[in-house]
Amino acid sequence: MATAGEKLRGSKESSLQSEESAGPGESRMTLTGSLNSWESDLTSIQHTLKFVLKLREEFVCPVCRGVVLNPQQNSCGHIYCFHCLQGLLESSSPSSPVCPVDGAVITPAEVFQDNCCKREISNLEVYCTNSPACTSVVTLHHLQEHLRSCPYEQLQCCNPGCRAVLQRRYLQDHLTNTCPQRTEPCPLCQQPQRLGLIQDHVQTSCPEVELDCPNSCSQKVPRHKLTEHRDACPDLHIDCPFKKFGCLVKDKRKKVKLHEDAAVNHHMLLVLRSNTHLEQQVEVLQEEALLRHQEVQTDSLLLADVQEEIRPLLQQNSSHEHIISTAQRTLSRQEDTLSTIQREVQQVARGLGPGLEELEQLRKSLDAVIQEVSATEALKEHLASLEDNLKHHSGLLDLHAAQLSRNKEHLRELEATSYDGKLIWKIEDFRSRKEAEARGQLPCLSSAPFHTSRCGYKMAAKIYLNGDGEGRGTHLSLYVVLMPGDFDALLPWPFKQTVSLSILDQSGAGNHRSLSFRPDPTSKSFQRPAAESIGNVAVGFSCFVPLSKLETPQEAMYVNNDTLFVKVKVDTAGLEQL
C-alpha cells in the first residue's frame, strides 16, 4: 500500500537530458534542465493535489494536465513540465515536435527554464494530502516537509512480520502496547523477545527456567546451572574412587559416599594387595637389571680380548700400506713411459695422415650407405603393413558408418512415432524445400510413421509443397498412406476409419484449415498392404489449400519462421484394442 509520504520519497534528480537521433549531417537536439527534490517527489501525485485557490490555466501542463513542475517555456509562450516536454521530444519525429496547444514547432535550443513561473507555483497553497482529517494548508514546496510530521500520514508498522498500516499519531502506542509482533522482556531472564515467541523461549532456551534434575533428584535447577549441578548431584551414578584398586561398586553419588565410609577396611585391603603386587614387580625388575649388569661386564672382558687380537693386525696393515705406496710410485713411472710411447705413435700417424683420413672417410660412407639401404627396406615393409591395416580399418569404418546411419534413422523414427492415431509433423525450411520441389529436385516429403494404437494400423503422411497432379504449382497437396505393420494379420480390413488432415494456425487464433475423408472400402488404397511393399497408394487432397492463401492468409499464420505444422488425426471410435 503506497502512502502519500512514500510517493514523495522518490529518487532525486539533479539534472535531466533528452536526446533524439538526427540523420547524417544533422545536429542532435538536446534539452537540459534541473529538477529540485520537492518537484521530483511531487511527480507521482501532481494530479491529485488540491489547491486552496483554483489553479490558473497557465500553471496547468498542456501535456499531462497536472500542475507544472520545473516549468519549461517554448518560443510560443506555453510552459510544460520538464519531464512532459522531454517525453514529447522523444516520441515525436526529430524534425517536427510541435506544441500540443497551438501546433507551433518546438525547437530545443529556444526552450528555457521559466524561473519566475517556478517561484509562483512553488508558493501556491495546497491542502495536506491527508485532508479532510488534516486541515493544514502549506505552500507547494513545503508539502513534503509537512508530510514528514503530519499526524494523519499513513505509515506501516516497522516491527518484522507486522503489516499493520495506521496514522502516525497512533503508531507509537501500537509499537509499544498493541502490536502482536512487538518486543517484550522475558519475565524470567529479562532478555528482549518477540511477544509471540516468549512462550517458546521459556520452554526451550530461557537460562533462568528451573528444570527437574535429569538424574531424578528432588532439586529444581536453573537451566544454565545444569552442568554445574551434575558435578554435585547426589543421584548421579558414579564409580567408587577405589575402582583403580579393584573395587567394582557403581551407584548413586550419595550411596557411593556411604559405601566409601563403610568399606574402609575392604578398600585398605585392596590398596595393600595392589602395593604387594607392585613390590613383586619391582623385585622382578631388579633381578632383570642385575642380570643385564652381569651381561655388560662379560661383554667388556670380551671386548678387551678382541682389542688384543686386533693390535698385530693393525701393525701388519701399516706394513701393507708402505708396500702399496711403493707400488703406486712404480705405476706412476710406467705411466710416464706409456705417455712418451703414445706421443711417438702420434708422430708416426701424422706421417701417414692423409691416406688414413681418406680411408676412414670411405669406410664411414660405406657404413652410411649400408644403413640407408637397410632403413629403406624396413620402411618398405612397414609401409606395406600400414597399407594392409588401412584397408582393413577402412572396411570396418564403412561398416560402422552404415550401421550408425541405420541406427540414427531407426532412432528418429522411434522418437517421432505416436500410438494414439495422431501425428503432429513439423516441416522446417519450408521455402527452400518448396523451391527445390518446383525445380524437380524433391518430389515429395514423407513423415515418420505413426499408429492408431500400440498394435494398430501403421500410417504416414505425404506432402507436396508445390502441389501434385491438378494442384501442381497452385496448391499444397496433402495425403495419407497405409504401410505394412507388425500386427496387420490381427486387424480388420479394409481400413474404414475417418481421417482428418490439417495445417495448423501458428498465430494463436486457432484458425486451423482441415479436410476429412471416409475411406472407400472398395479402393485398393485401404486394403491390407503387401508385406514386401513400402505402402499402399496415398489418398488425400491434391488441392488442399491454395499456395497464395497458405503463405499470406487473412486471419491466420500457417508459415512462421519458415516452418509449417501438419496434423493428421484418425477417428479410432469403434476400433477394438488388441
Side-chain angles (χ1 to χ4, degrees), residues 207-235:
E208 296 298 332
V209 172
E210 292 189 346
L211 303 174
D212 293 331
C213 174
N215 300 307
S216 302
C217 75
S218 59
Q219 300 183 37
K220 284 188 173 294
V221 185
R223 181 180 276 119
H224 70 282
K225 291 186 177 181
L226 282 176
T227 303
E228 179 183 343
H229 170 73
R230 186 180 184 280
D231 296 334
C233 179
D235 286 343

mmCIF file of all heavy atoms in Angstrom, residues 207-235:
data_model
loop_
_atom_site.group_PDB
_atom_site.id
_atom_site.type_symbol
_atom_site.label_atom_id
_atom_site.label_comp_id
_atom_site.label_asym_id
_atom_site.label_seq_id
_atom_site.Cartn_x
_atom_site.Cartn_y
_atom_site.Cartn_z
ATOM 1 N N PRO A 207 17.519 -19.250 30.174
ATOM 2 C CA PRO A 207 18.502 -19.812 31.110
ATOM 3 C C PRO A 207 18.018 -19.819 32.557
ATOM 4 O O PRO A 207 18.572 -20.538 33.392
ATOM 5 C CB PRO A 207 19.716 -18.898 30.929
ATOM 6 C CG PRO A 207 19.167 -17.601 30.441
ATOM 7 C CD PRO A 207 17.984 -17.960 29.612
ATOM 8 N N GLU A 208 16.979 -19.019 32.912
ATOM 9 C CA GLU A 208 16.542 -18.914 34.295
ATOM 10 C C GLU A 208 15.393 -19.858 34.643
ATOM 11 O O GLU A 208 14.951 -19.899 35.796
ATOM 12 C CB GLU A 208 16.130 -17.464 34.590
ATOM 13 C CG GLU A 208 17.252 -16.448 34.488
ATOM 14 C CD GLU A 208 18.373 -16.719 35.482
ATOM 15 O OE1 GLU A 208 18.084 -17.307 36.553
ATOM 16 O OE2 GLU A 208 19.522 -16.354 35.190
ATOM 17 N N VAL A 209 14.886 -20.603 33.674
ATOM 18 C CA VAL A 209 13.807 -21.536 33.961
ATOM 19 C C VAL A 209 14.348 -22.687 34.811
ATOM 20 O O VAL A 209 15.382 -23.271 34.489
ATOM 21 C CB VAL A 209 13.191 -22.073 32.652
ATOM 22 C CG1 VAL A 209 12.197 -23.191 32.953
ATOM 23 C CG2 VAL A 209 12.499 -20.958 31.907
ATOM 24 N N GLU A 210 13.650 -23.010 35.920
ATOM 25 C CA GLU A 210 14.075 -24.105 36.777
ATOM 26 C C GLU A 210 13.515 -25.418 36.246
ATOM 27 O O GLU A 210 12.313 -25.549 36.003
ATOM 28 C CB GLU A 210 13.601 -23.860 38.217
ATOM 29 C CG GLU A 210 14.303 -22.672 38.884
ATOM 30 C CD GLU A 210 13.990 -22.591 40.373
ATOM 31 O OE1 GLU A 210 13.045 -23.278 40.813
ATOM 32 O OE2 GLU A 210 14.693 -21.848 41.086
ATOM 33 N N LEU A 211 14.415 -26.377 36.075
ATOM 34 C CA LEU A 211 14.065 -27.673 35.495
ATOM 35 C C LEU A 211 14.316 -28.773 36.511
ATOM 36 O O LEU A 211 15.147 -28.634 37.426
ATOM 37 C CB LEU A 211 14.896 -27.938 34.240
ATOM 38 C CG LEU A 211 14.808 -26.911 33.131
ATOM 39 C CD1 LEU A 211 15.794 -27.253 32.024
ATOM 40 C CD2 LEU A 211 13.402 -26.843 32.563
ATOM 41 N N ASP A 212 13.594 -29.878 36.359
ATOM 42 C CA ASP A 212 13.865 -31.045 37.187
ATOM 43 C C ASP A 212 15.217 -31.618 36.831
ATOM 44 O O ASP A 212 15.627 -31.624 35.652
ATOM 45 C CB ASP A 212 12.778 -32.112 36.968
ATOM 46 C CG ASP A 212 11.433 -31.655 37.492
ATOM 47 O OD1 ASP A 212 11.418 -30.858 38.450
ATOM 48 O OD2 ASP A 212 10.408 -32.081 36.924
ATOM 49 N N CYS A 213 15.938 -32.098 37.827
ATOM 50 C CA CYS A 213 17.257 -32.707 37.587
ATOM 51 C C CYS A 213 17.096 -33.902 36.663
ATOM 52 O O CYS A 213 16.201 -34.743 36.863
ATOM 53 C CB CYS A 213 17.877 -33.144 38.921
ATOM 54 S SG CYS A 213 19.426 -34.063 38.724
ATOM 55 N N PRO A 214 17.902 -34.012 35.594
ATOM 56 C CA PRO A 214 17.784 -35.159 34.672
ATOM 57 C C PRO A 214 18.109 -36.482 35.344
ATOM 58 O O PRO A 214 17.805 -37.544 34.791
ATOM 59 C CB PRO A 214 18.800 -34.819 33.559
ATOM 60 C CG PRO A 214 19.745 -33.838 34.175
ATOM 61 C CD PRO A 214 18.967 -33.072 35.174
ATOM 62 N N ASN A 215 18.738 -36.442 36.545
ATOM 63 C CA ASN A 215 19.062 -37.680 37.260
ATOM 64 C C ASN A 215 17.990 -38.021 38.299
ATOM 65 O O ASN A 215 18.199 -38.889 39.143
ATOM 66 C CB ASN A 215 20.422 -37.544 37.941
ATOM 67 C CG ASN A 215 21.522 -37.276 36.930
ATOM 68 O OD1 ASN A 215 21.676 -38.003 35.964
ATOM 69 N ND2 ASN A 215 22.289 -36.203 37.159
ATOM 70 N N SER A 216 16.847 -37.275 38.236
ATOM 71 C CA SER A 216 15.672 -37.554 39.071
ATOM 72 C C SER A 216 15.908 -37.302 40.548
ATOM 73 O O SER A 216 15.279 -37.934 41.407
ATOM 74 C CB SER A 216 15.201 -39.000 38.858
ATOM 75 O OG SER A 216 14.906 -39.229 37.515
ATOM 76 N N CYS A 217 16.813 -36.375 40.868
ATOM 77 C CA CYS A 217 16.922 -35.996 42.273
ATOM 78 C C CYS A 217 15.818 -34.982 42.580
ATOM 79 O O CYS A 217 15.150 -34.473 41.681
ATOM 80 C CB CYS A 217 18.307 -35.429 42.589
ATOM 81 S SG CYS A 217 18.596 -33.745 41.984
ATOM 82 N N SER A 218 15.599 -34.654 43.800
ATOM 83 C CA SER A 218 14.459 -33.831 44.196
ATOM 84 C C SER A 218 14.666 -32.347 43.928
ATOM 85 O O SER A 218 13.743 -31.553 44.106
ATOM 86 C CB SER A 218 14.170 -34.041 45.695
ATOM 87 O OG SER A 218 15.325 -33.686 46.461
ATOM 88 N N GLN A 219 15.842 -31.917 43.491
ATOM 89 C CA GLN A 219 16.130 -30.499 43.328
ATOM 90 C C GLN A 219 15.641 -29.976 41.982
ATOM 91 O O GLN A 219 15.601 -30.715 40.999
ATOM 92 C CB GLN A 219 17.639 -30.251 43.450
ATOM 93 C CG GLN A 219 18.236 -30.662 44.778
ATOM 94 C CD GLN A 219 19.716 -30.320 44.851
ATOM 95 O OE1 GLN A 219 20.140 -29.286 44.345
ATOM 96 N NE2 GLN A 219 20.479 -31.202 45.494
ATOM 97 N N LYS A 220 15.267 -28.690 41.949
ATOM 98 C CA LYS A 220 14.980 -27.984 40.705
ATOM 99 C C LYS A 220 16.146 -27.035 40.448
ATOM 100 O O LYS A 220 16.524 -26.256 41.343
ATOM 101 C CB LYS A 220 13.665 -27.217 40.793
ATOM 102 C CG LYS A 220 12.436 -28.101 40.693
ATOM 103 C CD LYS A 220 11.187 -27.268 40.581
ATOM 104 C CE LYS A 220 9.965 -28.106 40.316
ATOM 105 N NZ LYS A 220 10.005 -28.760 39.004
ATOM 106 N N VAL A 221 16.676 -27.067 39.244
ATOM 107 C CA VAL A 221 17.925 -26.364 38.935
ATOM 108 C C VAL A 221 17.692 -25.433 37.742
ATOM 109 O O VAL A 221 17.047 -25.838 36.758
ATOM 110 C CB VAL A 221 19.049 -27.364 38.589
ATOM 111 C CG1 VAL A 221 20.379 -26.633 38.393
ATOM 112 C CG2 VAL A 221 19.158 -28.425 39.669
ATOM 113 N N PRO A 222 18.150 -24.157 37.801
ATOM 114 C CA PRO A 222 18.073 -23.287 36.611
ATOM 115 C C PRO A 222 18.775 -23.940 35.420
ATOM 116 O O PRO A 222 19.784 -24.650 35.582
ATOM 117 C CB PRO A 222 18.784 -22.007 37.057
ATOM 118 C CG PRO A 222 18.676 -22.007 38.554
ATOM 119 C CD PRO A 222 18.732 -23.445 38.967
ATOM 120 N N ARG A 223 18.213 -23.687 34.214
ATOM 121 C CA ARG A 223 18.740 -24.342 33.013
ATOM 122 C C ARG A 223 20.242 -24.098 32.839
ATOM 123 O O ARG A 223 20.979 -25.003 32.454
ATOM 124 C CB ARG A 223 17.963 -23.859 31.779
ATOM 125 C CG ARG A 223 18.425 -24.517 30.491
ATOM 126 C CD ARG A 223 17.643 -24.028 29.287
ATOM 127 N NE ARG A 223 16.389 -24.752 29.129
ATOM 128 C CZ ARG A 223 15.192 -24.210 29.171
ATOM 129 N NH1 ARG A 223 15.060 -22.911 29.390
ATOM 130 N NH2 ARG A 223 14.092 -24.929 29.007
ATOM 131 N N HIS A 224 20.726 -22.883 33.151
ATOM 132 C CA HIS A 224 22.135 -22.598 32.893
ATOM 133 C C HIS A 224 23.070 -23.188 33.954
ATOM 134 O O HIS A 224 24.293 -23.107 33.832
ATOM 135 C CB HIS A 224 22.347 -21.071 32.812
ATOM 136 C CG HIS A 224 22.211 -20.350 34.138
ATOM 137 N ND1 HIS A 224 20.976 -20.065 34.693
ATOM 138 C CD2 HIS A 224 23.133 -19.868 35.009
ATOM 139 C CE1 HIS A 224 21.147 -19.425 35.852
ATOM 140 N NE2 HIS A 224 22.457 -19.297 36.068
ATOM 141 N N LYS A 225 22.492 -23.816 35.039
ATOM 142 C CA LYS A 225 23.329 -24.426 36.072
ATOM 143 C C LYS A 225 23.251 -25.954 36.059
ATOM 144 O O LYS A 225 23.715 -26.607 36.997
ATOM 145 C CB LYS A 225 22.906 -23.909 37.450
ATOM 146 C CG LYS A 225 23.234 -22.436 37.675
ATOM 147 C CD LYS A 225 22.919 -22.017 39.104
ATOM 148 C CE LYS A 225 23.314 -20.552 39.343
ATOM 149 N NZ LYS A 225 23.031 -20.132 40.741
ATOM 150 N N LEU A 226 22.662 -26.523 35.002
ATOM 151 C CA LEU A 226 22.522 -27.977 34.943
ATOM 152 C C LEU A 226 23.882 -28.666 34.931
ATOM 153 O O LEU A 226 24.083 -29.682 35.614
ATOM 154 C CB LEU A 226 21.716 -28.368 33.700
ATOM 155 C CG LEU A 226 20.199 -28.189 33.795
ATOM 156 C CD1 LEU A 226 19.550 -28.518 32.455
ATOM 157 C CD2 LEU A 226 19.622 -29.083 34.890
ATOM 158 N N THR A 227 24.852 -28.126 34.175
ATOM 159 C CA THR A 227 26.181 -28.745 34.105
ATOM 160 C C THR A 227 26.873 -28.677 35.469
ATOM 161 O O THR A 227 27.488 -29.653 35.931
ATOM 162 C CB THR A 227 27.039 -28.040 33.044
ATOM 163 O OG1 THR A 227 26.370 -28.103 31.789
ATOM 164 C CG2 THR A 227 28.389 -28.706 32.915
ATOM 165 N N GLU A 228 26.765 -27.519 36.122
ATOM 166 C CA GLU A 228 27.375 -27.355 37.446
ATOM 167 C C GLU A 228 26.720 -28.297 38.458
ATOM 168 O O GLU A 228 27.400 -28.901 39.306
ATOM 169 C CB GLU A 228 27.218 -25.895 37.887
ATOM 170 C CG GLU A 228 27.792 -25.595 39.253
ATOM 171 C CD GLU A 228 27.549 -24.154 39.660
ATOM 172 O OE1 GLU A 228 27.226 -23.331 38.766
ATOM 173 O OE2 GLU A 228 27.683 -23.842 40.856
ATOM 174 N N HIS A 229 25.381 -28.458 38.362
ATOM 175 C CA HIS A 229 24.681 -29.338 39.289
ATOM 176 C C HIS A 229 25.087 -30.794 39.099
ATOM 177 O O HIS A 229 25.143 -31.571 40.076
ATOM 178 C CB HIS A 229 23.162 -29.178 39.089
ATOM 179 C CG HIS A 229 22.354 -30.214 39.823
ATOM 180 N ND1 HIS A 229 22.184 -30.201 41.189
ATOM 181 C CD2 HIS A 229 21.691 -31.320 39.358
ATOM 182 C CE1 HIS A 229 21.442 -31.242 41.551
ATOM 183 N NE2 HIS A 229 21.129 -31.934 40.456
ATOM 184 N N ARG A 230 25.380 -31.180 37.880
ATOM 185 C CA ARG A 230 25.737 -32.583 37.613
ATOM 186 C C ARG A 230 26.962 -33.003 38.419
ATOM 187 O O ARG A 230 27.084 -34.160 38.842
ATOM 188 C CB ARG A 230 26.002 -32.757 36.109
ATOM 189 C CG ARG A 230 26.233 -34.193 35.695
ATOM 190 C CD ARG A 230 26.498 -34.280 34.200
ATOM 191 N NE ARG A 230 26.628 -35.662 33.773
ATOM 192 C CZ ARG A 230 27.734 -36.397 33.908
ATOM 193 N NH1 ARG A 230 28.815 -35.851 34.467
ATOM 194 N NH2 ARG A 230 27.770 -37.646 33.502
ATOM 195 N N ASP A 231 27.900 -32.067 38.636
ATOM 196 C CA ASP A 231 29.122 -32.404 39.372
ATOM 197 C C ASP A 231 28.861 -32.639 40.849
ATOM 198 O O ASP A 231 29.752 -33.124 41.574
ATOM 199 C CB ASP A 231 30.155 -31.288 39.206
ATOM 200 C CG ASP A 231 30.596 -31.145 37.768
ATOM 201 O OD1 ASP A 231 30.509 -32.153 37.037
ATOM 202 O OD2 ASP A 231 31.029 -30.037 37.366
ATOM 203 N N ALA A 232 27.646 -32.259 41.347
ATOM 204 C CA ALA A 232 27.347 -32.452 42.766
ATOM 205 C C ALA A 232 26.047 -33.203 43.008
ATOM 206 O O ALA A 232 25.647 -33.391 44.156
ATOM 207 C CB ALA A 232 27.270 -31.088 43.459
ATOM 208 N N CYS A 233 25.356 -33.632 41.944
ATOM 209 C CA CYS A 233 24.055 -34.285 42.081
ATOM 210 C C CYS A 233 24.191 -35.573 42.886
ATOM 211 O O CYS A 233 24.979 -36.456 42.529
ATOM 212 C CB CYS A 233 23.458 -34.581 40.713
ATOM 213 S SG CYS A 233 21.864 -35.417 40.792
ATOM 214 N N PRO A 234 23.426 -35.742 43.978
ATOM 215 C CA PRO A 234 23.549 -36.945 44.811
ATOM 216 C C PRO A 234 22.995 -38.200 44.138
ATOM 217 O O PRO A 234 23.310 -39.301 44.557
ATOM 218 C CB PRO A 234 22.744 -36.588 46.070
ATOM 219 C CG PRO A 234 21.752 -35.559 45.606
ATOM 220 C CD PRO A 234 22.439 -34.781 44.539
ATOM 221 N N ASP A 235 22.163 -38.046 43.093
ATOM 222 C CA ASP A 235 21.560 -39.211 42.435
ATOM 223 C C ASP A 235 22.268 -39.595 41.148
ATOM 224 O O ASP A 235 21.788 -40.476 40.426
ATOM 225 C CB ASP A 235 20.079 -38.929 42.148
ATOM 226 C CG ASP A 235 19.235 -38.976 43.416
ATOM 227 O OD1 ASP A 235 19.727 -39.526 44.418
ATOM 228 O OD2 ASP A 235 18.103 -38.453 43.401
#
